[in-house]
Amino acid sequence: MADKITFMMILHNHQPVGNFDWVFKNAAEDAYIPFLDFLERHPHIKTGIHTTGPLLEWFAENRPDYLERLASCVKTGQVEILGGAFYEPILSKLPDRDKHGQIEMMNGWIEERFDKKPEGFWVAERIWEPYFASIFGSGGLKYTTLDNTHFQYAGLRENDIWGSYMTEDQGIGVRVLPIDYNLRYLIPFHEPQKTIDYIGALKDRGVTAVTYGDDGEKFGVWPGTKKWVYEDGWLERFFTALEVNSHWIDVVLPGDYVGSTPPLGRVYLPTASYKEMSEWSLPVHSQVAFAEAEKSFKGDLRFDALKPFVRGGFWRNFLTKYPESYNMYRRMLMVSKAVDAARRKPEYAEAARELYQAQCNCGWWHGVFGGLYLNFLRRAIYEHLIKAERLIDKRKCRAQSVDYDGDGHDEIIIRNDSLNLIVAPQQGGAALELDHLPKAFNLFDTMTRRPEAYHLQIPEAESADSGDSSHASIHEGVRSKEADIRKYLHYDPYRRLNFIDHFLSSEENHEAFYTGAYDERGDFVNAPYEIVKVKTKLGPGVYLSRKGTVRTSTGDMPVHIHKQVLMPSKGSVFEVNYGLETDVDPSEVLFGVEMNLGLQSGYADDSFIRIPGRTLKDKHLASTGTEADVRKVVLTIGWMPFTVSITFSRAAELRRFPVETVSQSEGGVERTYQNTCLLPVWRPERNSEGRFDITITMEVTS
């Protein structure tokens, strides 16, 4: 038995691109700065710190004194700064050129600010793929830290997962320190003595080195932790306990350990992340089944032996689970290719930085944090993608047919000097994206209401007594931030896009459509439309067509929809022209065109809906109502500012309601406004030529 055990700490501090400035400020004051205060008072305690690019830039702009203090700790050997990819992307979704670019950016930033090249690196969400060894190794980095579950999935026994191992790809090697899973749940949620006892038990087993690595936000940002960690003295007790036991616990920097101690052997780690991520990435039905299977396994005496073979999915599953994430992914790849082609242009460096900011990981997936469900994080992704593309793509007007989403079918990208519109013929001829280029804003950034595994626990969360959970981990149970939140659990039968073509019963009520429990009479939603012609002269556009049917009391009736999207070469305006050829009885069926505008501020007083000539009882973007004989509706977004005007060539009955999701966050389950749904409906009365024609014009005005 060794006389001492080496204990290494690594804190990962992160705030995403697009988060509010007050969140950065509060996190700095509640967690990052207080932790450094205590660290400086305990000079014998050493730790590695990884601070992501968005947070480094915020500190440089707002609290440079923090970076100066951190640099002083680096000079004294108390702190080691870890590198990584600057804007904290999920590396597996990036082209290799962007991986290298982000790593080089972080290496340069750290060397300039801290006068020392990083040797260690943090992998975002500890999402590892085997080829990362050569990606990071070729960037001059020497080691990283990953969860012990990675090693279990590689077949190592629990008693062998400590110290460090060497891994390689294409002959380029890096060291890997396994993060102890149990320490992640002990620190800082239990009394320090439990951690000391646990480390002692490891030492008694013959373990000579153990690593703790986790989010710095656990030390002041997570619910209840500011009081528990600082005011109630947890961190002071923890540092003191490490000092009192320094005769057998040697607290060292991870880089010093790697530089002085050989690896235990070589290992090839599979594609993996921490345990929770592997569960979150599964489809909902599989996630529920996985939880039930694991629960049943835990009652089996063989559970510890079987545990390494019980695993969920991996991060890329999110791109299937959430089409919204996949669309951002394909958009990012398109912009990345365009930016790379502009390497010799003077705008390249600025465009690359915009692209890298868009790659920040938090808005691309969802687990216990709001993530993809937070509309302001998605807005930031689109904002920086649009800005990057705007810098290097000077073409003013075009319509092009391209397989944008890689499904084997072409989408149509229509662009003029102010707007960029993406139409998906195979998805009901709907529009996926509408970018207002001057404001770098995607007006069609929507989110579909869909089931989540934790929705099954909401009744329990609402009825449970909260008790004293002030320093419980956010992974432990489901809390609700709003009473009776179950009434908002509605699921959409299709994806919330724009210019979705509906046929509804004339008796269909507003509530049924809002909840998603309505009766769709036509077969046009999500159905393929034929591309008749892509128009480029005198302004870009596309002509689409579909021959379908509508269910009536006398049987299925044929309907032929002609759908034309036309955009002038200049200006923030476009129109969608509909021509319906049908013998459907207009007294029995309504034709409706669904629009979903992701305008962010559902309940803000400076953002509202206006119908010229009348006064609305509730004019918030998140309001609900039905108005007859509407020719025009105007939506104003005060904080941008701009307005969206939608004009109908025929007076419509206009139905509106908010699309609000129920999603999990670190503070509990919450309701989030995603977009305003507008559904103008008409009785499809035929003209003298046997057609029903309608034109919808949309204009964005700054």
Side-chain angles (χ1 to χ4, degrees):
M1 184 187 304
D3 293 334
K4 281 192 169 189
I5 183 171
T6 296
F7 176 62
M8 292 165 279
M9 289 190 299
I10 300 173
L11 265 63
H12 160 64
N13 297 335
H14 172 56
Q15 294 298 324
V17 172
N19 213 347
F20 302 111
D21 185 74
W22 63 264
V23 176
F24 279 80
K25 182 176 182 291
N26 288 352
E29 294 178 352
D30 293 347
Y32 313 133
I33 293 172
F35 187 90
L36 188 58
D37 292 340
F38 277 81
L39 192 66
E40 289 173 334
R41 292 204 291 266
H42 293 266
H44 297 294
I45 302 299
K46 300 180 179 182
T47 186
I49 294 180
H50 171 252
T51 306
T52 63
L55 193 50
L56 286 172
E57 290 183 330
W58 186 89
F59 275 121
E61 179 73 20
N62 297 277
R63 290 298 302 268
D65 58 304
Y66 173 82
L67 295 179
E68 291 167 5
R69 291 170 60 194
L70 205 57
S72 295
C73 291
V74 171
K75 286 182 180 179
T76 61
Q78 191 179 7
V79 169
E80 177 184 359
I81 302 296
L82 275 73
F86 194 81
Y87 286 108
E88 197 65 2
I90 301 298
L91 286 172
S92 56
K93 77 175 188 289
L94 303 192
D96 284 352
R97 59 179 174 266
D98 296 341
K99 295 184 182 75
H100 289 296
Q102 292 235 27
I103 291 168
E104 290 168 7
M105 188 175 182
M106 178 65 96
N107 287 350
W109 210 98
I110 291 174
E111 187 173 8
E112 180 181 349
R113 290 280 180 161
F114 299 103
D115 198 28
K116 191 172 184 179
K117 292 181 180 179
E119 296 184 345
F121 59 95
W122 186 268
V123 181
E125 300 300 328
R126 279 103 72 198
I127 293 166
W128 179 260
E129 297 200 6
Y131 71 95
F132 288 0
S134 60
I135 295 290
F136 282 104
S138 62
L141 296 161
K142 298 179 180 178
Y143 76 89
T144 191
T145 184
L146 299 171
D147 289 63
N148 58 0
T149 50
H150 292 69
F151 293 80
Q152 290 173 346
Y153 297 154
L156 272 70
R157 295 170 299 183
E158 187 172 353
N159 286 343
D160 296 329
I161 304 173
W162 53 275
S164 74
Y165 282 81
M166 180 66 73
T167 191
E168 63 85 30
D169 175 64
Q170 302 177 65
I172 301 174
V174 293
R175 294 270 284 278
V176 187
L177 302 168
I179 296 171
D180 189 283
Y181 177 83
N182 294 310
L183 286 176
R184 286 181 53 227
Y185 280 82
L186 285 170
I187 299 173
F189 306 110
H190 296 273
E191 281 293 340
Q193 190 56 46
K194 283 194 174 183
T195 298
I196 300 300
D197 292 343
Y198 177 74
I199 295 173
L202 292 178
K203 176 177 171 294
D204 292 343
R205 271 176 30 203
V207 172
T208 60
V210 62
T211 301
Y212 166 77
D214 214 337
D215 298 343
E217 292 74 34
K218 286 184 174 182
F219 298 85
V221 173
W222 282 25
T225 57
K226 178 183 177 182
K227 180 178 184 298
W228 170 246
V229 171
Y230 302 113
E231 296 172 20
D232 294 347
W234 182 92
L235 189 59
E236 179 67 30
R237 295 195 301 278
F238 180 59
F239 283 171
T240 299
L242 290 174
E243 290 167 338
V244 168
N245 292 280
S246 61
H247 58 285
W248 65 273
I249 300 178
D250 193 12
V251 183
V252 305
L253 295 176
D256 290 345
Y257 174 80
V258 168
S260 62
T261 309
L264 297 178
R266 186 174 69 254
V267 67
Y268 290 97
L269 302 172
T271 298
S273 181
Y274 50 85
K275 176 180 177 295
E276 297 88 352
M277 180 68 80
S278 73
E279 298 170 20
W280 297 331
S281 65
L282 289 170
V284 171
H285 64 277
S286 297
Q287 199 174 343
V288 172
F290 180 89
E292 291 173 351
E294 188 177 52
K295 186 176 180 180
S296 65
F297 271 130
K298 283 184 178 178
D300 195 305
L301 295 175
R302 299 169 297 168
F303 178 70
D304 286 341
L306 294 172
K307 189 164 57 175
F309 308 106
V310 180
R311 59 181 299 190
F314 67 114
W315 189 86
R316 295 191 192 211
N317 291 149
F318 284 114
L319 300 177
T320 299
K321 186 174 182 178
Y322 299 111
E324 296 87 352
S325 181
Y326 184 71
N327 275 163
M328 291 191 299
Y329 167 69
R330 297 297 300 197
R331 189 77 167 93
M332 180 271 294
L333 292 179
M334 178 183 293
V335 174
S336 174
K337 185 176 180 181
V339 170
D340 184 59
R343 278 186 177 272
R344 297 184 182 278
K345 293 183 179 180
E347 302 89 354
Y348 168 74
E350 186 180 354
R353 183 172 177 271
E354 294 289 350
L355 168 66
Y356 295 166
Q357 289 182 84
Q359 293 168 342
C360 183
N361 83 84
C362 301
W364 296 78
W365 60 280
H366 173 64
V368 75
F369 302 97
L372 181 69
Y373 280 104
L374 299 180
N375 54 26
F376 56 89
L377 293 185
R378 298 197 311 273
R379 181 191 65 80
I381 292 170
Y382 280 111
E383 175 189 351
H384 292 291
L385 288 176
I386 295 166
K387 285 181 176 179
E389 188 175 58
R390 197 174 63 190
L391 281 164
I392 47 89
D393 188 349
K394 304 300 184 183
R395 292 175 293 172
K396 296 296 185 183
C397 180
R398 67 180 182 275
Q400 61 184 123
S401 196
V402 60
D403 186 5
Y404 166 76
D405 59 6
D407 65 351
H409 302 283
D410 279 354
E411 284 70 46
I412 311 300
I413 300 177
I414 304 169
R415 179 170 176 170
N416 69 5
D417 65 337
S418 299
L419 296 177
N420 184 67
L421 179 68
I422 301 177
V423 178
Q426 286 291 312
Q427 297 183 52
L432 302 176
E433 182 176 338
L434 174 63
D435 303 323
H436 183 238
L437 303 179
K439 295 289 187 181
F441 190 93
N442 175 15
L443 282 76
F444 290 174
D445 174 20
T446 62
M447 192 72 190
T448 301
R449 301 175 298 182
R450 54 174 60 88
E452 293 286 357
Y454 52 78
H455 285 175
L456 299 174
Q457 302 175 52
I458 286 178
E460 178 184 343
E462 290 186 337
S463 61
D465 181 1
S466 62
D468 181 16
S469 59
S470 61
H471 52 271
S473 168
I474 60 176
H475 298 293
E476 297 172 8
V478 175
R479 305 172 185 86
S480 178
K481 295 173 70 175
E482 181 176 349
D484 201 22
I485 201 168
R486 284 169 289 182
K487 68 182 181 182
Y488 298 104
L489 284 176
H490 305 301
Y491 303 126
D492 296 318
Y494 53 88
R495 186 176 167 198
R496 290 281 177 190
L497 297 173
N498 276 271
F499 299 100
I500 301 172
D501 305 330
H502 292 281
F503 287 90
L504 309 174
S505 164
S506 59
E507 305 300 321
E508 192 75 70
N509 63 42
H510 182 283
E511 180 70 15
F513 195 82
Y514 162 69
T515 62
Y518 75 102
D519 179 20
E520 180 69 51
R521 294 294 186 90
D523 62 355
F524 293 84
V525 177
N526 280 337
Y529 276 59
E530 177 191 356
I531 301 173
V532 178
K533 183 180 180 182
V534 177
K535 178 178 177 292
T536 55
K537 292 182 179 179
L538 303 177
V542 62
Y543 295 180
L544 303 174
S545 172
R546 173 169 169 78
K547 294 179 179 179
T549 59
V550 171
R551 179 167 40 86
T552 71
S553 59
T554 57
D556 289 348
M557 298 287 289
V559 176
H560 188 181
I561 292 183
H562 303 272
K563 188 172 183 177
Q564 304 177 11
V565 183
L566 303 173
M567 185 182 293
S569 58
K570 292 184 178 181
S572 299
V573 62
F574 70 97
E575 63 183 37
V576 182
N577 301 318
Y578 283 92
L580 276 63
E581 297 175 2
T582 180
D583 292 326
V584 169
D585 183 352
S587 67
E588 185 177 349
V589 173
L590 297 173
F591 173 64
V593 178
E594 179 181 349
M595 290 167 279
N596 292 284
L597 287 92
L599 304 178
Q600 304 282 310
S601 307
Y603 295 93
D605 289 336
D606 66 347
S607 301
F608 48 86
I609 293 176
R610 180 170 58 87
I611 297 176
R614 67 187 75 181
T615 301
L616 299 179
K617 204 170 192 180
D618 182 357
K619 62 180 182 178
H620 288 118
L621 294 179
S623 62
T624 299
T626 299
E627 299 289 328
D629 297 321
V630 175
R631 286 273 188 172
K632 185 175 183 179
V633 58
V634 181
L635 300 92
T636 297
I637 302 89
W639 59 275
M640 282 301 287
F642 61 65
T643 62
V644 182
S645 300
I646 304 171
T647 306
F648 311 117
S649 62
R650 293 173 181 254
E653 177 185 283
L654 181 65
R655 305 173 183 182
R656 73 181 191 279
F657 60 86
V659 175
E660 296 177 297
T661 54
V662 175
S663 58
Q664 191 164 235
S665 72
E666 59 268 41
V669 178
E670 63 188 7
R671 177 165 52 106
T672 303
Y673 166 82
Q674 298 295 345
N675 52 269
T676 295
C677 179
L678 300 176
L679 181 71
V681 297
W682 301 268
R683 295 188 183 278
E685 298 172 338
R686 297 179 294 279
N687 59 21
S688 59
E689 298 176 356
R691 285 168 52 112
F692 173 79
D693 296 311
I694 186 75
T695 295
I696 301 174
T697 303
M698 184 176 290
E699 182 175 12
V700 185
T701 307
S702 296

